[in-house]
Amino acid sequence: MIVNGRSFLGCRELFRILHASGKYRFFSQSPNMAKSKYEYVKNFELDDTCLPNCWIVIRIDGRSFQRFADIHGYVKPNDIRGLNLMSRAATCVMDEFRDICLGYGQSDEFTFVFRKDTNLFNRRASKLMSTVNSLFASSFVFNWNSYFGPIRLQYPPCFDARVVLYPTDKNLRDYLSWRQADVHINNLYNTAFWSLVLKKGFTNAQAEERLKGTVASDKNELLFSEFGLNYNNEPAVYRKGTILIRKLCKQPPEGKLRPIILPFFTDMIGDSFWKEHPEILGLKSLAIYHPPSEDLPNETNKKSSSPPAPKNPKHEAEKLQTGHKRQKKV
């Protein structure tokens, strides 16, 4: 290059000449600089890229969780602390991965639905599953004391996980309907079972024998006639599970919109829920949350999909951190 009429070698040209002379050794600029003769082992890794344009569903399930619940004194048949803790761990996962458009939890399991157009981790199933599962498990342990207080964690809980792809919206809805139907079946049985054990002194074997061959109507009749319990009046979080959705909420005092993960306790099997939250299947922008009127009945007993109206919608999300109304079924 020319500076003030004098010729100078540019840095790149000088580097090229010195490198070509062989008298000087510089770091390699080759893309193969990090390769070694052992790198062939990467060829044994399987390509687990999820198919495009499919809903990616990751379901986490507690392993040997009945034993874990017994050792740590979970209340039967539902424990408010346990369900809160599960929901809190799920919220941590959804806070980290914004491509999760819906979470659904019941008992010792939680489902996470990724947008069908997500490209997180290049849609590698093993990467998605391992990261979500590890974050959920660590969040469960990290937040344990916030919900169980003086009860010390006796040993680390374990969760397994799986990845399932659903190509159509109907497939996804049917999957979520299946999981919600499972809530009703299990919770109705557990409510009847533990009522017999805890209130009538039955042994576990006697309670199993008493409920053997019964259908839902039989269990409802047993609960009402022998215990004065109308199952339909049980908190919706027991009967429906917990749905987590990200909504835009106005934050006081300026009223700025901010994405908040809110819990809902409602039916997902019918069409009403999906009409109220079209942004989930429609892959649209986040919807603004409009709280219901404050004179409506408590959320656990009303059929509306909207949670109770807080003065500050952020408080709904904070319930997941403070152990408010949420329960755990074993």
Side-chain angles (χ1 to χ4, degrees):
M1 64 181 177
I2 306 299
V3 178
N4 294 332
R6 301 180 62 183
S7 178
F8 292 89
L9 291 175
C11 290
R12 292 193 181 189
E13 187 178 7
L14 178 62
F15 178 87
R16 179 182 60 80
I17 294 173
L18 293 176
H19 189 272
S21 70
K23 296 182 180 179
Y24 303 92
R25 296 188 64 184
F26 299 91
F27 62 88
S28 173
Q29 288 185 312
S30 168
N32 298 325
M33 60 176 292
K35 290 185 178 297
S36 70
K37 66 179 182 179
Y38 306 111
E39 196 166 356
Y40 77 92
V41 297
K42 292 181 64 177
N43 296 327
F44 291 94
E45 296 182 11
L46 294 176
D47 180 14
D48 61 350
T49 304
C50 295
L51 292 172
N53 201 38
C54 290
W55 298 100
I56 301 177
V57 171
I58 296 178
R59 185 167 84 248
I60 294 174
D61 201 354
R63 181 178 180 273
S64 301
F65 219 76
Q66 182 174 346
R67 174 175 173 267
F68 179 87
D70 289 341
I71 289 177
H72 291 89
Y74 275 54
V75 177
K76 310 290 187 179
N78 298 284
D79 194 302
I80 186 173
R81 304 162 299 176
L83 283 184
N84 261 319
L85 180 54
M86 292 287 288
S87 294
R88 176 58 187 150
T91 301
C92 291
V93 173
M94 293 182 67
D95 275 335
E96 180 69 20
F97 301 113
R98 298 303 177 93
D99 281 358
I100 296 177
C101 57
L102 182 144
Y104 179 66
Q106 56 115 343
S107 186
D108 60 348
E109 72 170 59
F110 233 100
T111 289
F112 299 97
V113 179
F114 281 84
R115 292 169 56 98
K116 59 166 51 178
D117 60 354
T118 183
N119 198 38
L120 183 64
F121 299 134
N122 293 320
R123 298 178 69 90
R124 291 175 56 193
S126 57
K127 198 82 164 173
L128 290 165
M129 181 178 69
S130 59
T131 308
V132 168
N133 193 23
S134 63
L135 179 56
F136 184 92
S138 60
S139 298
F140 185 96
V141 174
F142 182 81
N143 290 285
W144 173 267
N145 290 339
S146 297
Y147 297 91
F148 284 83
I151 300 179
R152 185 178 178 181
L153 196 61
Q154 298 299 310
Y155 65 91
C158 180
F159 298 89
D160 63 51
R162 69 202 71 192
V163 177
V164 185
L165 303 182
Y166 294 103
T168 69
D169 295 352
K170 182 180 185 304
N171 294 151
L172 176 64
R173 284 189 55 177
D174 286 347
Y175 164 79
L176 293 170
S177 296
W178 168 50
R179 300 319 303 143
Q180 191 164 60
D182 189 67
V183 178
H184 168 71
I185 294 170
N186 289 338
N187 189 64
L188 179 58
Y189 180 90
N190 286 341
T191 302
F193 178 89
W194 289 108
S195 293
L196 290 171
V197 172
L198 300 176
K199 297 179 180 179
K200 282 209 165 185
F202 281 37
T203 65
N204 287 5
Q206 290 172 332
E208 289 178 3
E209 184 62 29
R210 174 68 176 81
L211 296 174
K212 185 177 181 180
T214 59
V215 296
S217 58
D218 298 327
K219 298 181 184 69
N220 275 298
E221 177 61 28
L222 182 149
L223 289 172
F224 187 76
S225 61
E226 298 192 26
F227 302 101
L229 175 64
N230 185 337
Y231 181 75
N232 291 327
N233 291 335
E234 286 291 280
V237 63
Y238 296 159
R239 299 180 289 107
K240 304 292 186 181
T242 302
I243 307 166
L244 298 179
I245 306 175
R246 191 177 287 103
K247 294 284 188 181
L248 291 176
C249 299
K250 293 182 178 180
Q251 299 296 295
E254 297 86 2
K256 291 183 179 180
L257 292 176
R258 179 186 172 190
I260 300 290
I261 297 170
L262 294 175
F264 295 80
F265 319 102
T266 188
D267 176 70
M268 286 192 297
I269 298 176
D271 294 331
S272 177
F273 172 81
W274 302 101
K275 290 179 180 179
E276 290 184 31
H277 310 283
E279 73 276 9
I280 299 174
L281 297 181
L283 301 178
K284 300 177 182 178
S285 300
L286 295 183
I288 298 177
Y289 173 64
H290 298 287
S293 173
E294 294 205 10
D295 59 356
L296 289 177
N298 186 280
E299 57 85 15
T300 55
N301 291 321
K302 66 180 178 14
K303 296 183 179 180
S304 170
S305 65
S306 299
K311 297 187 185 307
N312 180 353
K314 185 179 178 181
H315 292 170
E316 276 302 308
E318 290 176 344
K319 290 176 185 177
L320 302 181
Q321 305 177 22
T322 58
H324 193 64
K325 287 193 173 180
R326 203 63 70 78
Q327 309 194 15
K328 172 96 175 86
K329 175 175 71 60
V330 179

